[in-house]
Amino acid sequence: MNDYHSHTNYSDGGFLEGMVQAADAAGLEGIGLTDHCMVSSREPPKAVRSVYGFNLDRTYERRRRAIEELRNRADISLEIYDGVEMDYDLRDERAIRDFLEEAAFDYTIGSVHVVDDLNVQVPSNFANTSEAERDAIVDDYFETLVSLIDSELFDVAAHLDLVERTPPLRGRATVDHYERVARALADSRTVPEVNAGRATADAAIVHPAETFLEILREYDVAVTVGSDSHRPSEIGDRAAFLEEYLASRDLEPVAPPGLD
């Protein structure tokens, strides 16, 4: 069992050493450290960078040295992968491409968190919107997700139906949305992940949703796996959940293509 999606203190997660030690204690064969990164020069993303510290473009070399130190320690037995979770916006493709070519991570995760400068995970962003406006946000979310896949910038597409985490947007995704994403993935090197970031919480949300997963299987799209852990205490429970979840659906996850 490998976990290809986790975060450290180089973005919004726990201390890097503690995350690796927790993964090792959980019996994982490998842990991917995929801290958030934003490289946009536009004003709203710049503000997010300042508040949340999504500055891996400035700190990845320092983190890489820390990873190498842990790889050389006798008490650490698992593989440690040097990855990134990059926020995607079509307007930032050139900047993203230039940075990823420069940084040469082991593999890359792309994710969509923001549509029309609104974070789709924040319910209050949509509290005063109409039903039609909420449907339009979901349409735009999936449109951006398809652009992410078509860009061929990323090995992995993260938490495909992230809008399901947000009550005002939940349940608005359609089979048409799912099939469009599945077709794009079928024609791309990018693979989606089974993401357990909310699987062990009260909402018990797994990405992708069951209907979405079945459509991906119909299109013969392979999946990888990630716990999306931000704290050492989350890794063990989420890894155990994922192992059982995959086994119950007879799924054999693949590694991100960059690791092949």
Side-chain angles (χ1 to χ4, degrees):
M1 182 72 183
N2 289 274
D3 178 359
Y4 294 112
H5 186 159
S6 70
H7 300 278
T8 79
N9 56 299
Y10 283 83
S11 58
D12 58 348
F15 286 118
L16 189 153
E17 181 180 20
M19 296 297 287
V20 171
Q21 288 176 328
D24 203 18
L28 291 174
E29 296 177 7
I31 182 72
L33 307 180
T34 53
D35 285 297
H36 291 284
C37 185
M38 306 175 76
V39 294
S40 176
S41 60
R42 293 176 292 105
E43 194 50 47
K46 285 173 64 178
V48 172
R49 280 167 60 96
S50 298
V51 172
Y52 293 102
F54 293 174
N55 299 309
L56 195 63
D57 57 319
R58 300 179 182 175
T59 61
Y60 75 92
E61 292 175 311
R62 186 185 310 163
R63 194 192 71 168
R64 189 164 289 166
R65 290 193 293 271
I67 289 172
E68 199 57 41
E69 289 179 8
L70 289 173
R71 284 171 172 166
N72 292 328
R73 273 182 31 180
D75 61 326
I76 301 293
S77 61
L78 80 173
E79 295 288 336
I80 308 171
Y81 301 112
D82 177 17
V84 62
E85 181 181 354
M86 176 69 66
D87 265 55
Y88 174 83
D89 186 296
L90 180 62
R91 294 168 290 181
D92 303 323
E93 270 199 15
R94 181 183 294 274
I96 293 170
R97 188 180 305 277
D98 289 346
F99 170 61
L100 293 180
E101 288 178 355
E102 168 198 316
F105 292 102
D106 292 338
Y107 64 93
T108 59
I109 296 177
S111 58
V112 178
H113 292 95
V114 174
V115 174
D116 295 337
D117 294 327
L118 296 173
N119 191 314
V120 298
Q121 297 180 99
V122 180
S124 60
N125 284 339
F126 312 102
N128 298 316
T129 55
S130 68
E131 297 295 308
E133 287 170 329
R134 293 176 183 183
D135 286 341
I137 288 289
V138 172
D139 286 343
D140 288 347
Y141 170 82
F142 283 101
E143 181 79 23
T144 306
L145 182 58
V146 169
S147 293
L148 179 157
I149 296 162
D150 289 346
S151 75
E152 297 290 357
L153 287 169
F154 306 103
D155 297 292
V156 177
H159 34 63
L160 292 181
D161 47 357
L162 187 66
V163 290
E164 290 300 312
R165 294 187 184 181
T166 310
L169 304 179
R170 187 175 299 154
R172 296 176 186 274
T174 67
V175 168
D176 286 344
H177 289 131
Y178 297 159
E179 289 190 338
R180 186 165 180 218
V181 173
R183 286 194 298 269
L185 287 164
D187 292 334
S188 173
R189 74 179 186 91
T190 303
V191 298
E193 63 171 6
V194 174
N195 180 293
R198 295 293 184 277
T200 58
D202 290 342
I205 294 170
V206 180
H207 303 289
E210 202 70 44
T211 300
F212 200 171
L213 180 61
E214 287 307 310
I215 289 172
L216 293 174
R217 299 183 79 166
E218 288 173 13
Y219 280 81
D220 200 27
V221 173
V223 297
T224 188
V225 63
S227 73
D228 205 351
S229 294
H230 290 68
R231 298 289 178 268
S233 60
E234 296 168 344
I235 292 176
D237 287 345
R238 293 184 185 180
F241 171 87
L242 284 166
E243 191 165 18
E244 182 177 340
Y245 182 90
L246 295 167
S248 68
R249 289 156 180 80
D250 196 26
L251 282 170
E252 186 68 35
V254 299
L259 296 180
D260 289 346

